[in-house]
């Protein structure tokens, strides 16, 4: 399998095993490796990439975890599917970043915000003292000028003090925090469920009560794993779908009972 050199400047901050994994993905996307093909042995890949076998093993483990290649022990790794195109940086972390990456125009307006005492549930989600303050923010979000989502977000006090002072119509809070304050949303946990439009959501979105909604609960974290926000977003139906790949060797999806408390 010919892969070429990964040493480009754009990959300088990427771990070597991640670079190798992306080169293998590109080989699959380009058709040099087809679905069903076996990958070369680890020793062959290690020699080809000029790395230790352990580095190749980490690359393959990453590809197994995401469901791109098989993961049966004692059997040569084979291609299970064509991986999706490389994601735009931070695409999954923010509504605004996702919209911009798909050539849509995101918008938003703060309707209300107030300081609250965290309480046990929010404190557990944000890893703060239950007696500490958190900033609660109610926003209406839009795509191409059309209202599509109501967002209710809580921030720990240190971050809330920054968010409180932001313009109410800011298009992307996460982008602003990253660019102006060096606060980067590096990952998130997500739970999706079905809901219906209540009185407040109906008024904010300009629709009738009872409309179906996609409920999205998320907790975002920085690179050190520290929670930055916990939010409940409610999208009008037909505006967003969720795509997840899973299989026998990879299961990033969990099923929760509808009456179960939040996953954190």
């Amino acid at each position: 399998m010919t892969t070429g050199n990964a040493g480009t400047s754009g990959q300088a901050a990427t771990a070597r095993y991640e670079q190798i994994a992306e080169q293998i993905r590109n080989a699959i996307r380009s058709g040099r490796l087809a679905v069903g093909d076996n990958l070369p042995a680890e020793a062959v890949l290690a020699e080809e990439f000029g790395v230790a076998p352990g580095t190749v093993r980490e690359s393959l483990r990453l590809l197994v975890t995401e469901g791109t290649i098989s993961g049966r022990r004692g059997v040569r790794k084979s291609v299970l599917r064509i991986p999706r195109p490389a994601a735009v940086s931070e695409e999954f972390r923010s509504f605004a970043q996702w919209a911009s990456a798909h050539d849509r125009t995101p918008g938003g307006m703060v309707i209300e915000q107030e300081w609250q005492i965290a309480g046990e549930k929010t404190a557990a989600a944000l890893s703060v003292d239950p007696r500490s303050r958190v900033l609660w923010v109610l926003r209406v979000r839009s795509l191409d000028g059309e209202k599509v989502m109501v967002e209710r977000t809580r921030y720990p006090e240190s971050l809330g003090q920054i968010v409180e002072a932001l313009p109410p119509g800011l298009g992307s809070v996460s982008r602003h925090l990253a660019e102006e304050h060096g606060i980067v949303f590096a990952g998130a946990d997500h739970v999706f469920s079905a809901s219906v439009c209540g009185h407040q959501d109906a008024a904010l979105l300009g629709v009738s009560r009872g409309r179906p909604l996609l409920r999205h609960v998320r907790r975002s974290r920085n690179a050190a794993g520290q929670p930055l926000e916990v939010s409940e977003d409610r999208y009008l139906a037909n505006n967003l779908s969720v795509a997840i790949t899973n299989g026998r060797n990879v299961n990033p999806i969990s099923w929760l009972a509808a009456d179960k408390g939040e996953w954190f």
Side-chain angles (χ1 to χ4, degrees), residues 226-262:
Q226 179 182 358
L228 296 174
E229 66 175 5
V230 60
S231 186
E232 179 178 328
D233 307 337
R234 299 193 175 195
Y235 291 83
L236 286 172
N238 301 323
N239 283 294
L240 181 70
S241 297
V242 181
I244 298 175
T245 298
N246 73 329
R248 185 171 63 180
N249 300 304
V250 52
N251 280 289
I253 183 172
S254 298
W255 298 100
L256 304 177
D259 59 352
K260 179 177 173 58
E262 306 305 348

